[in-house]
Amino acid sequence: MAGPGSDLPDHPDWLWRTPEPKRSYDVVIIGGGGHGLATAYYLAKNHGITNVAVLERGWLAGGNMARNTTIIRSNYLWDESAGIYEHALKLWEGLEEQLDYPILFSQRGVLNLAHSLQDVRDSVRRVEANRLNGVDAEWLDPQQVKEVCPIVNISPDVRYPVLGGTYQPRAGIAKHDYVAWAFARAADAMGVDLIQHCEVTGIDIVDGRAVGVRTTRGPIAAGKVAMCAAGHASVVAAMAGVDLPVQSHPLQALVSELLEPVHPTVVMSNAVHVYVSQAHKGELVMGAGIDSYNGYGQRGSFHIIERQMSAALELFPTFARAHVLRTWGGIVDVTPDASAIMGLTPVDELYVNCGWGTGGFKATPGVGWCYAHTIANGEPHPLNAPFSLERFTTGALVDEHGAAAVAH
Amino acid sequence: MMLISCPWCGPREEAEFHYGGQAHVSYPEDPSALSDEEWARFLFYRDNPKGPFAERWNHSASCRRWFNVIRDTVTYEILAVYPVGTPKPVIA
Amino acid sequence: MSTQEFRTAQGGRIDRSRPIRFRFDGSDYTGYVGDTLASALLANGVIQTSTSIKFDRPRGIFAAGAEEPNALVQVEAPFPEPMLTATTVELYDGLVACGLGGQGRLSPEPDPARYDSVHVHCDVLVVGAGPAGLAAAAVAAETGARVIVVDERPEPGGSLLGTRETSVLEWATSVADRLRSNPEVKLLTRTTAFGYYDDNFVLAVERRTNHLGAAAPAHRSRERIWRIRARRVILATGAHERPLAFNGNDIPGVMLAGAARTYVNRYGVLPGRRAVVLTTNDSAYEAVFDLLDAGVEIAAVADLRTGGSPVWGPRCAERGVEVLAGYGVADVTGADRVSAVTLAGPDGSRDVAADLLLVSGGWNPVGALYSHAGGRLRFDTDLGSFVPDGCRQAVAVAGAAKGTFGLAGCLAEGAAAGREAVEAAGFTAPADTRLPAADEQPASPTAQVWVLPGDESRQYVDLQRDVTVAEIRRATGAGMRSVEHVKRYTTAGTAHDQGKTSGVLTSGVVAHLLGVDVGELGTTTFRPPYTPVSFAALAGRDRGMLYDPVRVTALHPWHEAAGALFENVGQWKRPWYYPRDGEDMHAAVLRECRAAREGVAMMDASTLGKIDVQGPDAAVLLDRLYTNMMSTLKVGSIRYGVMCRADGMVFDDGTVIRLAEDRFLVTTTTGGAAAVLEWMEDFLQTEWPDLRVHCTSVTEQWATVALVGPRSREVLATLAPTLAVDNASFPFMTWRDTEVAGIPTRVCRISFSGELAYELNVSWWDALALWQAVYDAGQPFGITTYGTETMHVLRAEKGFPIIGQDTDGTVTPQDLGMDWIVSKKKADFVGKRSFARADNHRPDRKQLVGLLPDDGTTLLPEGVHLVAAETVATGALPEPPVPMLGHVTSSYHSAALGRPFALALIRGGRGRIGERVYAPLGDALVPVTITSSVLYDPEGARRDG
């Protein structure tokens, strides 16, 4: 019999075509990551729009989609955030069947630990808001935290003892490549052209309306252009003369060797800053904070990793002799209120989806659903209407870093 | 971890510094004269180039002085270091 | 206990006088000091160490170093450690290990070992102490430059250790000795450089005690992280031999040719008795002769090149070794170990009995660190390998790491790199460089072969992940065109070895299947660490109480002795409450509150941030940063102020004391002190450099004792007989410098409780004496110490917000009901413009109000939300999403009110005063009435005593 950790399901025998770009599409999506692929899928599936190209400058889903720590949850503080993330979570719950792909969506729960009295207040506030918003959430005392995750150190004799935590049982993880490929395969099957190694170098605008893109593989006309380029949002938007209030930062993550199961859930802590889960094969997957500086280098600074290891061992002393096998970095685009931007732009038929910061993966199906609606109808879906660009002018921010204080 | 040359203390580890984002963004002379859009631009919009970027750093663990740096956001190479209040040097 | 039947009679670098006992997979064995676990197992005839993860096939020792893909082991004793390569575990007495096919195991017991880290700077860092690295270090060290040499092995020499190059080895030993005795040089063995970051920042981990087993001294750190900042770096990291994909290439007994050579020469171990050799290049012939001389029978050499090796062919003939040019391996027979090899070539095929099949598919320069540094790699078609091709950092590559495989070439290249590096660093290199003579065979080109003909489902590309050529074909068949996609589809290269042997082979196989050029296809990306590094090493000393600095006030020992419980507030430890015998927090806090409201109480307020703001323009600065006017404050007076960020949201608050025309003492929240100082400095240095102001943190220079309650004046009068304490002489919001208990003290009449109160500020040094004096003087009045919880209750009764508890970054001063603190006179202050934005004029903004549960007994949990009466008109919550009005920010039992109360941020709250709303608590809906946020002494009658 096969050993433990060998049980990942195989990918299907067929995934997607490698088409030549056509001269014209109804919709051109810039960026072949999770969001771009999901958007293409829902454009075809929900709106019958299949004359769509997804343009990817590298290999499909090779940006943040290949680099995130795969945490899925919807226990956000504000109504607006809970709305779109919970919509995403409900889609996640049916995605495996919908896409006929074993995406390994595992609802093993997410614990967000509290280490100070203010953490506790903020946590309870979030849990109570979640419940009223229909998001499953509960507050656990330290002993209950230990019952959910026995390896968490709840000793009071540590620098920042665990005072409790919030728990969302329906939260969990999925296998990121499988998710991206599932969307890609389904979109491809419905006629969407997935075009790799095709970098957009310009956006053509006539009379204030986007009409196409220029690429390293020639010009492509488009009825609508949808930007979906995560870390490179500013770079792409600048081609259309659109400024975005986002900054691109490195975000690092790491993985250990395969280990016997010790960690049954997902644990996140902001005060002792680390988040960690044990993936299906047995490796610990961990992340922490973003690097402070702007960076497109897909790498960060090592003291961030060292700090993260200290935090990990504070919470999980048993990890001491585990080993870091691989570290990597992605590029997250963060907004002033740590909430995304999705909707229209000052240019007609040019749409923007960016600023998901560290929350992009978990939102993937929700983004695809809502962004496709926005593109198809020329106006935002009610769930993404609060995430407009205008909010920065009116001041109606969705500030997820103050009280929410839970990134990722 | 980058090595950043503080103009006052010399080259020091990145961990000694605090990042301050884009340089040369002045607090408006008369905020009340700005439209909401203009004020929003000052509050929330900063350049985010892929390549050389004029940005602010503070040597917070030492002399606590702010200074400006031109750094390539792809290679993380520091191309110039210059005092606050002086013009942005031209990078060849 | 088995004997070491595969040990040679002599030779090797092991110490045969020092035998070691160890246990593997439940059996006891012996080896020698100098062995690795792998070499000791081979010496005992054990080649299979595990079964494979997916197909459960037997897997054996395949390599001799860090590139090992198969021989993963779990250490069980002296302390469990998951997933190490047997080829890098040094043997020690009492080692207990077992083979690992899949997952490692963590110990549930805490790791008793210590870990640490050091920062070092050097002129030249040399990574790798093989021939190239030592040659470079020798030159660099002669110049007086600070040189650091790191090498992952227990002794310097690198690849030489696995050869019979005795004269060069002697040179290596003498170089190492010279390096060790040079005070400017650090030679670190058992140290792996694992990451190369910006500006020549290289991370290395030194394994300091593991090889000592249970004898390791407890005081010595087990592993140490070296954080090395080098002016120049020389990478002399060598090369890893590459396998080939052919039928049965995963059966134990198939081994890299260079590894076999290392086992014979370095460890005195025969990896088998009768070997077949399969090669694409000349290097395997060195193994042929070394093994032959050690007594291994060479059954045949299959050289995939149709012409064979012009240099080595004749020599083989001389020794009677049969070379089959143009031949490959068609199949391997054997269940747990190779028993025969089927060779196939132009003249047909034949079976050859053998227990060992040595393979060399060429060599991959170790490019990991170079790639971390941002270096590019290029495919060299002559070498059939990816080689360095330019890097923006100050780095040079020398020797096999650069694709230079001959010994003389490595030495010369190393010396040249050392010379260039020191000269670039400003030193003068010696005129000539003494290098040992080294034989160098003219090498004929390597054949570029990745896959041999056969059954693709039996041809392994990644041994650790059980990835075969067939699986890679399935990936390309599914439409995968990028190696990154193939890697993810098949998991090739993602295992413990991170593709050290399989990575380039995978690229080669994909290129072969797609019919494209391997150079264009490229490889997957190298990421740190080069080899796995333990979490504990990276965490180092920053654990437990050293995880984050603990800040305590000068009075901390007193609080501890008084039995206070502490609250973490930022990095500070603050007394939370002082329980007396048998009291819970509730009882203690009620008692403390009552004392403050009815008698006298005292607390340690030293953690409040304090900033000394001085200069002719100090008042101008404060006017620009506070929402209210500070320039009109009179010397001797105190004013409360609020600061907003430019977005108009409250970010800190505190009192401002005017000490002189040009000097203010600003207090901040405990958590906000650093941010406020940085905020001030930022504006002063970057926006308003014309302002003549200096800001200095004095938080830890001034200790503060709050003396609170109707009888506080009496206590103060006792201690400060010269101070006129009556209300007229010393009014609210003024300060006086005086002596309290003989200690120079700045007494401020400030109240955060609404009661008559004083804050006594003294030098940190005098704090304990002052505190004790106040405590003693207060005894006749029943003075009571109180902590942060009581402070919170007292201020909440008065509706004073705590920034960060009753605000969350989305709250304006107006939302807090503090319109009075927002100056209408000032043309501007930071945040003012934002108040004019549309969102700030929504009538339903959340505003701070009070809440009284109607039943007079329910304590609302902080964080609970409120819903409007119409929302629950049916008597129950509707289906979600349920509209929420806001949430409880603070909630306490009030001794003064005799009931619980709360503060809350409620939509349009001030317009709802008197309205009944509901708090869903579990299944219950608790009715509460919205009130003013000031519930106690709304007239402010008590502050003057």
Side-chain angles (χ1 to χ4, degrees):
Chain A
M1 60 152 268
S6 67
D7 53 349
L8 288 191
D10 282 336
H11 290 288
D13 286 334
W14 175 249
L15 284 170
W16 55 76
R17 299 165 292 130
T18 302
E20 284 300 311
K22 294 192 288 194
R23 286 208 179 146
S24 165
Y25 291 92
D26 293 341
V27 178
V28 162
I29 295 171
I30 304 174
H35 287 195
L37 294 168
T39 302
Y41 169 75
Y42 286 113
L43 272 174
K45 179 82 184 166
N46 291 0
H47 304 281
I49 301 172
T50 57
N51 185 26
V52 174
V54 178
L55 308 185
E56 168 54 48
R57 76 188 179 106
W59 41 282
L60 223 52
N64 290 346
M65 194 64 182
R67 296 159 197 273
N68 69 84
T69 48
T70 80
I71 297 171
I72 294 165
R73 62 184 182 90
S74 64
N75 56 345
Y76 281 73
L77 172 67
W78 299 104
D79 300 349
E80 297 87 346
S81 309
I84 194 162
Y85 282 110
E86 177 60 21
H87 181 63
L89 181 50
K90 290 205 171 78
L91 291 172
W92 278 113
E93 286 172 326
L95 211 53
E96 187 147 327
E97 202 174 327
Q98 174 90 34
L99 299 174
D100 187 25
Y101 207 108
I103 60 167
L104 297 171
F105 179 49
S106 161
Q107 291 180 289
R108 58 183 63 190
V110 167
L111 271 172
N112 294 94
L113 300 180
H115 300 269
S116 70
L117 297 177
Q118 189 56 42
D119 270 359
V120 173
R121 290 181 197 106
D122 291 339
S123 300
V124 172
R125 176 184 177 191
R126 186 160 47 77
V127 162
E128 295 293 333
N130 288 161
R131 292 159 79 119
L132 294 173
N133 273 321
V135 175
D136 60 316
E138 49 198 292
W139 167 255
L140 305 184
D141 66 24
Q143 201 53 49
Q144 292 169 315
V145 166
K146 185 117 187 131
E147 281 160 24
V148 171
C149 188
I151 56 172
V152 173
N153 182 12
I154 58 165
S155 161
D157 302 319
V158 299
R159 181 67 184 88
Y160 293 114
V162 173
L163 303 184
T166 71
Y167 186 55
Q168 184 181 19
R170 285 163 62 238
I173 58 174
K175 189 88 175 98
H176 48 7
D177 295 330
Y178 286 56
V179 174
W181 296 4
F183 277 120
R185 180 182 67 153
D188 173 87
M190 287 187 285
V192 171
D193 280 355
L194 309 177
I195 300 165
Q196 304 181 72
H197 304 289
C198 179
E199 184 170 0
V200 171
T201 55
I203 296 175
D204 289 324
I205 298 169
V206 175
D207 297 334
R209 176 194 167 105
V211 296
V213 294
R214 272 163 284 154
T215 80
T216 49
R217 295 173 67 176
I220 300 174
K224 294 162 184 277
V225 176
M227 301 185 288
C228 216
H232 282 77
S234 303
V235 176
V236 172
M239 295 175 192
V242 173
D243 282 339
L244 295 173
V246 296
Q247 298 281 291
S248 297
H249 289 270
L251 174 65
Q252 302 182 73
L254 63 89
V255 66
S256 78
E257 71 267 71
L258 307 189
L259 297 165
E260 289 177 10
V262 290
H263 182 24
T265 182
V266 180
V267 171
M268 310 175 66
S269 166
N270 266 31
V272 180
H273 200 159
V274 67
Y275 46 94
V276 55
S277 66
Q278 186 166 18
H280 305 82
K281 292 204 298 280
E283 66 271 38
L284 298 171
V285 182
M286 309 173 67
I290 61 173
D291 281 72
S292 65
Y293 48 80
N294 290 29
Y296 287 87
Q298 294 190 323
R299 63 181 203 288
S301 296
F302 196 69
H303 60 279
I304 304 286
I305 301 278
E306 291 180 304
R307 189 67 190 153
Q308 173 182 341
M309 288 293 109
S310 296
L313 295 198
E314 283 296 284
L315 297 179
F316 306 101
T318 190
F319 291 171
R321 292 206 182 182
H323 302 93
V324 177
L325 209 61
R326 184 176 179 87
T327 64
W328 64 89
I331 314 167
V332 295
D333 49 339
V334 297
T335 61
D337 61 356
S339 287
I341 299 169
M342 196 205 294
L344 315 185
T345 69
V347 178
D348 288 345
E349 300 304 353
L350 178 70
Y351 299 88
V352 62
N353 169 54
C354 69
W356 287 91
T358 54
F361 176 73
K362 61 184 67 64
T364 300
V367 167
W369 184 282
C370 294
Y371 199 33
H373 175 104
T374 304
I375 297 162
N377 296 292
E379 62 178 37
H381 186 281
L383 286 174
N384 64 288
F387 298 99
S388 71
L389 259 176
E390 287 80 57
R391 74 179 189 271
F392 297 100
T393 304
T394 64
L397 304 186
V398 186
D399 196 334
E400 281 290 343
H401 39 35
V406 180
H408 312 295
Chain B
M1 182 144 72
M2 293 183 278
L3 189 68
I4 299 171
S5 282
C6 170
W8 316 98
C9 307
R12 295 289 188 276
E13 304 291 343
E14 174 198 325
E16 294 183 16
F17 296 84
H18 187 126
Y19 188 62
Q22 186 185 355
H24 308 292
V25 180
S26 295
Y27 189 81
E29 201 64 41
D30 180 8
S32 66
L34 300 184
S35 67
D36 281 356
E37 287 72 23
E38 289 166 332
W39 180 245
R41 290 199 70 79
F42 165 71
L43 281 182
F44 298 126
Y45 286 71
R46 295 292 180 270
D47 290 349
N48 186 27
K50 186 178 183 180
F53 182 40
E55 61 189 18
R56 303 164 356 116
W57 288 86
N58 178 247
H59 197 185
S60 50
S62 186
C63 67
R64 300 195 61 83
R65 299 291 291 262
W66 285 95
F67 57 95
N68 293 339
V69 162
I70 295 181
R71 185 180 58 93
D72 188 309
T73 59
V74 179
T75 65
Y76 303 171
E77 277 176 292
I78 291 175
L79 307 171
V81 174
Y82 58 104
V84 168
T86 58
K88 185 168 143 183
V90 177
I91 301 295
Chain C
M1 185 171 300
S2 83
T3 57
Q4 301 180 43
E5 59 198 291
F6 285 81
R7 190 73 75 175
T8 56
Q10 61 201 25
R13 305 181 71 81
I14 47 168
D15 184 347
R16 292 171 195 255
S17 69
R18 295 165 67 195
I20 284 175
R21 298 160 59 101
F22 68 102
R23 175 174 282 209
F24 184 77
D25 276 346
S27 300
D28 292 316
Y29 300 98
T30 58
Y32 294 118
V33 167
D35 263 326
T36 61
L37 176 56
S39 68
L41 287 171
L42 287 172
N44 286 284
V46 179
I47 195 161
Q48 182 190 338
T49 54
S50 60
T51 52
S52 69
I53 186 166
K54 197 166 175 185
F55 301 140
D56 211 22
R57 290 176 59 82
R59 287 289 160 74
I61 296 164
F62 189 74
E67 72 277 28
E68 173 64 44
N70 273 345
L72 296 181
V73 297
Q74 165 83 33
V75 169
E76 301 288 3
F79 190 87
E81 182 167 11
M83 209 171 282
L84 300 169
T85 45
T87 50
T88 60
V89 173
E90 288 181 58
L91 205 63
Y92 49 83
D93 233 359
L95 172 66
V96 180
C98 59
L100 214 52
Q103 299 166 329
R105 189 174 59 77
L106 295 168
S107 170
E109 299 303 316
D111 181 357
R114 299 172 63 139
Y115 300 83
D116 62 13
S117 60
V118 292
H119 289 263
V120 282
H121 295 255
C122 63
D123 296 305
V124 180
L125 168 68
V126 181
V127 181
L134 285 174
V139 173
E142 262 186 71
T143 64
R146 289 172 307 165
V147 178
I148 296 175
V149 185
V150 300
D151 189 278
E152 62 184 357
R153 296 177 177 83
E155 57 175 328
S159 60
L160 293 168
L161 300 172
T163 68
R164 290 188 288 174
E165 302 279 357
T166 43
S167 67
V168 187
L169 260 168
E170 274 167 30
W171 164 85
T173 307
S174 73
V175 169
D177 288 345
R178 282 210 306 280
L179 294 174
R180 284 197 183 93
S181 63
N182 184 329
E184 296 296 331
V185 176
K186 214 176 274 298
L187 173 59
L188 297 168
T189 53
R190 297 190 174 93
T191 304
T192 305
F194 64 82
Y196 193 149
Y197 287 78
D198 291 293
D199 299 316
N200 271 4
F201 188 61
V202 176
L203 277 305
V205 59
E206 180 187 11
R207 293 167 292 278
R208 291 156 55 82
T209 65
N210 219 41
H211 58 287
L212 303 173
H219 67 275
R220 192 170 156 84
S221 59
R222 177 171 177 262
E223 293 174 353
R224 170 173 288 173
I225 299 293
W226 289 82
R227 301 171 183 151
I228 307 167
R229 183 76 70 176
R231 296 172 75 186
R232 315 288 301 187
V233 174
I234 296 171
L235 297 176
T237 46
H240 288 153
E241 198 161 22
R242 188 164 71 210
L244 292 163
F246 54 86
N247 282 13
N249 63 344
D250 70 323
I251 298 172
V254 178
M255 184 182 279
L256 293 170
R261 196 179 171 212
T262 296
Y263 284 117
V264 167
N265 292 324
R266 180 170 167 194
Y267 300 107
V269 169
L270 304 181
R273 302 286 186 205
R274 184 176 153 88
V276 170
V277 179
L278 170 67
T279 188
T280 63
N281 64 87
D282 278 5
S283 72
Y285 289 93
E286 310 250 19
V288 167
F289 281 83
D290 288 0
L291 265 66
L292 201 57
D293 292 344
V296 178
E297 191 183 343
I298 304 296
V301 177
D303 192 324
L304 284 159
R305 298 170 292 187
T306 45
S309 170
V311 175
W312 291 92
R315 296 185 196 176
C316 286
E318 262 172 47
R319 296 286 299 269
V321 172
E322 185 180 19
V323 176
L324 297 162
Y327 271 67
V329 170
D331 211 341
V332 182
T333 312
D336 297 341
R337 173 141 201 174
V338 173
S339 60
V341 179
T342 306
L343 299 175
D347 302 321
S349 73
R350 57 198 255 206
D351 291 345
V352 182
D355 62 355
L356 194 60
L357 171 55
L358 305 187
V359 181
S360 180
W363 292 80
N364 296 327
V366 175
L369 291 172
Y370 190 74
S371 293
H372 301 171
R376 292 181 305 276
L377 301 177
R378 144 186 86 78
F379 191 74
D380 182 312
T381 43
D382 291 340
L383 293 171
S385 316
F386 287 91
V387 296
D389 190 36
C391 181
R392 65 173 180 274
Q393 301 219 40
V395 58
V397 187
K402 198 180 178 183
T404 302
F405 296 121
L407 182 51
C410 286
L411 291 165
E413 212 168 84
R419 174 181 300 275
E420 277 169 36
V422 276
E423 296 207 321
F427 296 85
T428 306
D432 61 356
T433 310
R434 297 173 301 276
L435 290 174
D439 284 344
E440 185 147 335
Q441 312 299 339
S444 27
T446 297
Q448 249 197 71
V449 180
W450 311 98
V451 191
L452 304 189
D455 172 1
E456 291 178 351
S457 68
R458 295 183 54 226
Q459 302 181 329
Y460 286 82
V461 177
D462 187 327
L463 293 164
Q464 205 173 126
R465 280 278 189 247
D466 269 341
V467 177
T468 62
V469 175
E471 184 64 8
I472 292 179
R473 187 182 286 284
R474 210 169 72 79
T476 56
M480 306 286 90
R481 293 293 174 270
S482 145
V483 281
E484 294 286 0
H485 280 149
V486 171
K487 166 183 165 175
R488 286 163 170 77
Y489 190 100
T490 63
T491 74
T494 64
H496 183 266
D497 63 345
Q498 289 286 295
K500 288 186 181 63
T501 53
S502 62
V504 176
L505 179 58
T506 302
S507 292
V509 172
V510 173
H512 164 79
L513 294 178
L514 293 177
V516 300
D517 181 66
V518 65
E520 270 173 42
L521 196 67
T523 64
T524 56
T525 314
F526 295 98
R527 303 275 183 203
Y530 166 63
T531 53
V533 183
S534 73
F535 285 21
L538 297 176
R541 297 288 301 279
D542 297 345
R543 297 170 58 181
M545 285 301 145
L546 296 181
Y547 171 71
D548 202 30
V550 177
R551 296 177 80 184
V552 296
T553 73
L555 303 172
H556 192 74
W558 197 98
H559 304 319
E560 280 187 315
L565 294 180
F566 291 89
E567 178 190 0
N568 284 315
V569 182
Q571 292 174 327
W572 290 99
K573 295 275 183 199
R574 297 196 71 180
W576 189 13
Y577 58 99
Y578 298 79
R580 291 187 179 160
D581 291 341
E583 275 184 340
D584 60 8
M585 181 166 97
H586 176 63
V589 170
L590 282 181
R591 172 179 53 75
E592 291 174 8
C593 286
R594 206 171 285 126
R597 292 266 182 245
E598 297 171 9
V600 62
M602 60 192 289
M603 88 168 294
D604 181 357
S606 305
T607 63
L608 283 186
K610 295 175 275 289
I611 303 168
D612 193 338
V613 181
Q614 296 192 44
D617 298 315
V620 179
L621 173 72
L622 298 186
D623 271 352
R624 291 182 189 179
L625 295 183
Y626 281 95
T627 61
N628 50 340
M629 194 78 90
M630 288 298 173
S631 52
T632 54
L633 183 63
K634 292 186 173 58
V635 175
S637 286
I638 303 171
R639 191 166 285 168
Y640 171 76
V642 166
M643 283 186 193
C644 292
R645 295 282 188 191
D647 65 2
M649 303 303 159
V650 173
F651 121 82
D652 206 74
D653 72 341
T655 53
V656 175
I657 298 171
R658 191 157 205 174
L659 298 172
E661 275 306 311
D662 62 350
R663 187 170 183 194
F664 296 81
L665 186 78
V666 164
T667 68
T668 73
T669 61
T670 296
V676 172
L677 178 64
E678 187 156 313
W679 183 239
M680 290 179 168
E681 289 177 333
D682 189 347
F683 274 105
L684 280 173
Q685 292 180 34
T686 67
E687 296 292 346
W688 308 315
D690 52 312
L691 294 188
R692 294 157 299 166
V693 185
H694 286 278
C695 300
T696 308
S697 168
V698 291
T699 302
E700 293 182 2
Q701 280 64 40
W702 289 98
T704 305
V705 176
L707 179 61
V708 176
R711 308 201 70 177
S712 57
R713 185 175 281 139
E714 293 167 67
V715 176
L716 181 62
T718 328
L719 288 167
T722 60
L723 181 68
V725 294
D726 64 284
N727 196 46
S729 311
F730 190 179
F732 185 59
M733 294 306 256
T734 61
W735 60 271
R736 302 284 180 269
D737 275 347
T738 183
E739 281 194 354
V740 177
I743 298 164
T745 305
R746 175 166 300 140
V747 184
C748 301
R749 254 202 77 189
I750 299 173
S751 178
F752 195 41
S753 59
E755 298 298 327
L756 174 69
Y758 303 88
E759 285 186 2
L760 312 179
N761 296 281
V762 296
S763 156
W764 202 259
W765 293 103
D766 292 330
L768 206 45
L770 177 83
W771 176 272
Q772 190 65 50
V774 173
Y775 186 74
D776 293 344
Q779 287 309 310
F781 307 93
I783 199 163
T784 300
T785 56
Y786 69 94
T788 51
E789 190 66 18
T790 292
M791 175 188 80
H792 282 185
V793 178
L794 297 174
R795 63 85 203 176
E797 289 169 342
K798 285 290 296 175
F800 297 148
I802 298 261
I803 306 306
Q805 175 172 343
D806 301 297
T807 71
D808 60 5
T810 68
V811 177
T812 65
Q814 296 88 345
D815 297 339
L816 291 173
M818 290 188 181
D819 299 75
W820 55 270
I821 209 166
V822 180
S823 168
K824 312 277 185 298
K825 291 182 194 153
K826 291 195 281 185
D828 190 38
F829 54 83
V830 174
K832 181 181 166 94
R833 173 64 185 83
S834 288
F835 297 149
R837 291 182 302 169
D839 203 62
N840 289 62
H841 295 278
R842 271 192 298 113
D844 65 340
R845 283 190 70 82
K846 290 182 182 170
Q847 296 170 329
L848 189 72
V849 291
L851 294 179
L852 288 172
D854 289 3
D855 64 5
T857 56
T858 303
L859 179 73
L860 299 173
E862 288 168 346
V864 79
H865 292 256
L866 287 311
V867 296
E870 61 265 27
T871 304
V872 290
T874 64
L877 286 172
E879 283 302 300
V882 179
M884 290 169 249
L885 292 175
H887 75 287
V888 172
T889 58
S890 300
S891 178
Y892 309 97
H893 286 286
S894 169
L897 302 174
R899 61 183 299 171
F901 73 103
L903 298 178
L905 285 168
I906 299 288
R907 286 188 194 285
R910 285 197 294 279
R912 292 176 186 265
I913 287 175
E915 186 178 327
R916 174 175 295 161
V917 296
Y918 291 86
L921 292 191
D923 295 330
L925 288 168
V926 176
V928 299
T929 299
I930 297 176
T931 70
S932 153
S933 60
V934 186
L935 287 163
Y936 182 74
D937 184 28
E939 306 78 23
R942 301 188 62 84
R943 71 169 198 219
D944 294 330

